[in-house]
Amino acid sequence: VKGGYETFMDKEIHDQPTAVADTLLGRVNDRGELVLDEMRIDPSVLRSVDKIIVVACGTAAYAGHVAKYAIEHWCRIPVEIELAHEFRYRDPIVSEKTLTVAISQSGETMDTIQAIRHAREQGSRVLAIVNTYGSTIAREADAVLYTHAGPEVAVASTKAFLAQITACYLLGLYLAQLRGNKWPDEVADYLENLGQMPAKLERLLAEQEDMVRELGAQMADQTSFLFLGRHVGYPVALEGALKLKEVAYVHAEGFAAGELKHGPIALVEEGLPVFVIVPTPRRPVLHDKVISNIQEVRARGARTIVIAEEGDEAVTPFADTVIRIPATPTLMWPLLTVVPLQIFAAALAKAKGLDVDQPRNLAKSVTVE
Ligand code: F6R
């Protein structure tokens, strides 16, 4: 069942190239246009949407956070991310022009189910991005965009997360195509880049996995970690910290790198491991800001583990370890950069002798509020 791997989490990390490929499958026609057959919300409704609210929990909410950057850029529609349990118990501003997007692997998360009911009561259409066929969320939504990650067994989400992000890109590009925000060739260009992701993921696993595993095993005695990122690197930092907390029971926090000097930098002391996700040098303004952040933590004694694009030599003088990632457009960077963080968390947990598939206190689907 584990396909020759020691744990389901390892297997599912390796399933990721396929999960992304399967989620993309059959969604582009021979004219290079995106077709979402399952999009049962009328195009005229989608054209009039003036706000998107993503409701989700945990890792699925981080996928929504990535979607915000992509959809706002491509479609010029404001996107809000709402933790489903917070959305449900306040008085959110929702109308018939709001599209609520619920993201869930299981489709059975009670907090998210309650949030979509709350949104529908106020006239919003609900689109579900779900991995489990026929689940409650899939049934209650107006339309479903299925992720095709296959069943996810390990409690900590890995391949479902990549598939969720992929589906969010498809949604964003579909809305851009429908609303005419982007020239068709720009949508086609992004689709082509998405199509290259499975091969890039394969290469990343082949080239970096052993080194990252060794690093995880070496760091099994550490009691605290920080993760920093800007732009789409920010939700990746949050997800990297969550994986480590969940499977290795170690204190880990993710921050927007720009937030460092507003408080968290006080935590940095000699030897503290800090992961930094560096954007491509093809976005020099963003890139150089993150390089400064690495310098700031290193000057205070941090041990820096830097995730950077292949060929980005600017990071080398400030990194204790560099994890190299194939070049890709910035908005799609999360699909690659999160993978070493998953591998690291699994390796560190294993070195501590923990059961990575069944972490203590957690359930695969949280069916109570
Ligand atoms: C993290 C994790 C959880 C889930 C969250 C939502 O590894 O698995 O944070 O992402 O409980 O679950 P779903 O996606 O099933 O709604």
Side-chain angles (χ1 to χ4, degrees):
V1 226
K2 296 179 195 163
Y5 293 96
E6 219 179 294
T7 66
F8 279 107
M9 188 171 174
D10 289 329
K11 173 186 179 288
E12 288 162 3
I13 287 171
H14 282 264
D15 283 345
Q16 295 186 115
T18 312
V20 171
D22 288 351
T23 300
L24 293 172
L25 202 67
R27 281 166 170 164
V28 182
N29 69 14
D30 48 16
R31 289 194 301 280
E33 296 157 344
L34 197 51
V35 273
L36 297 182
D37 291 335
E38 59 265 77
M39 184 55 83
R40 300 198 198 287
I41 301 175
D42 198 80
S44 66
V45 173
L46 292 175
R47 280 193 197 96
S48 70
V49 163
D50 66 2
K51 178 165 79 170
I52 294 177
I53 301 181
V54 178
V55 293
C57 305
T59 292
Y62 298 149
H65 203 143
V66 174
K68 174 181 171 75
Y69 289 85
I71 297 176
E72 288 188 345
H73 179 67
W74 291 333
C75 309
R76 311 308 297 153
I77 306 171
V79 180
E80 293 171 11
I81 314 301
E82 293 271 4
L83 292 171
H85 35 89
E86 284 297 315
F87 175 79
R88 170 70 183 81
Y89 293 104
R90 40 183 207 87
D91 188 11
I93 298 165
V94 179
S95 76
E96 294 79 43
K97 289 194 169 180
T98 307
L99 177 66
T100 301
V101 177
I103 307 178
S104 176
Q105 187 288 125
S106 62
E108 300 297 348
T109 300
M110 188 49 78
D111 288 316
T112 310
I113 295 172
Q114 295 294 2
I116 66 176
R117 290 180 183 157
H118 194 51
R120 291 194 78 190
E121 277 163 16
Q122 294 169 79
S124 172
R125 307 295 165 110
V126 174
L127 171 73
I129 294 180
V130 168
N131 197 46
T132 308
Y133 294 88
S135 55
T136 308
I137 293 175
R139 281 184 281 112
E140 290 199 15
D142 295 286
V144 189
L145 184 55
Y146 278 109
T147 49
H148 297 294
E152 193 176 61
V153 178
V155 165
S157 187
T158 53
K159 63 176 178 173
F161 181 59
L162 263 69
Q164 284 160 352
I165 296 174
T166 303
C168 287
Y169 292 144
L170 290 176
L171 171 65
L173 292 170
Y174 181 78
L175 292 174
Q177 178 181 280
L178 189 78
R179 295 161 63 106
N181 298 79
K182 292 279 164 198
W183 297 109
D185 46 350
E186 201 169 333
V187 173
D189 193 47
Y190 275 113
L191 287 173
E192 195 186 312
N193 270 292
L194 266 181
Q196 293 167 4
M197 282 300 166
K200 287 183 185 173
L201 283 162
E202 293 283 7
R203 187 154 70 77
L204 171 63
L205 286 165
E207 292 174 0
Q208 304 291 331
E209 182 175 12
D210 292 349
M211 190 266 274
V212 177
R213 275 195 191 285
E214 209 169 295
L215 190 69
Q218 275 169 20
M219 298 184 103
D221 294 333
Q222 294 288 337
T223 51
S224 184
F225 289 84
L226 297 189
F227 292 77
L228 304 177
R230 268 177 200 263
H231 195 270
V232 287
Y234 172 35
V236 173
L238 296 173
E239 172 64 4
L242 179 61
K243 286 286 93 88
L244 208 50
K245 286 181 244 198
E246 282 184 290
V247 300
Y249 316 152
V250 38
H251 170 253
E253 280 197 74
F255 294 108
E259 198 59 14
L260 257 185
K261 57 183 170 302
H262 300 289
I265 199 160
L267 289 168
V268 179
E269 56 189 14
E270 196 60 39
L272 177 77
V274 180
F275 280 85
V276 188
I277 298 120
V278 181
T280 172
R282 287 169 285 117
R283 292 281 296 268
V285 178
L286 198 60
H287 175 264
D288 296 357
K289 273 278 181 304
V290 179
I291 301 279
S292 314
N293 296 135
I294 307 176
Q295 289 173 270
E296 284 158 17
V297 293
R298 204 160 194 250
R300 289 161 180 87
R303 171 169 176 188
T304 55
I305 304 139
V306 172
I307 300 180
E309 190 173 285
E310 286 166 352
D312 179 0
E313 291 311 328
V315 299
T316 322
F318 313 111
D320 293 293
T321 305
V322 187
I323 301 169
R324 293 290 178 186
I325 308 287
T328 213
T330 304
L331 286 170
M332 293 172 180
W333 197 223
L335 281 181
L336 299 174
T337 48
V338 77
V339 176
L341 304 183
Q342 301 166 334
I343 297 170
F344 180 81
L348 194 145
K350 258 196 259 174
K352 288 174 78 169
L354 302 174
D355 178 351
V356 299
D357 289 339
Q358 297 281 349
R360 68 182 180 204
N361 307 340
L362 297 176
K364 183 64 186 162
S365 55
V366 183
T367 53
V368 289
E369 266 189 274

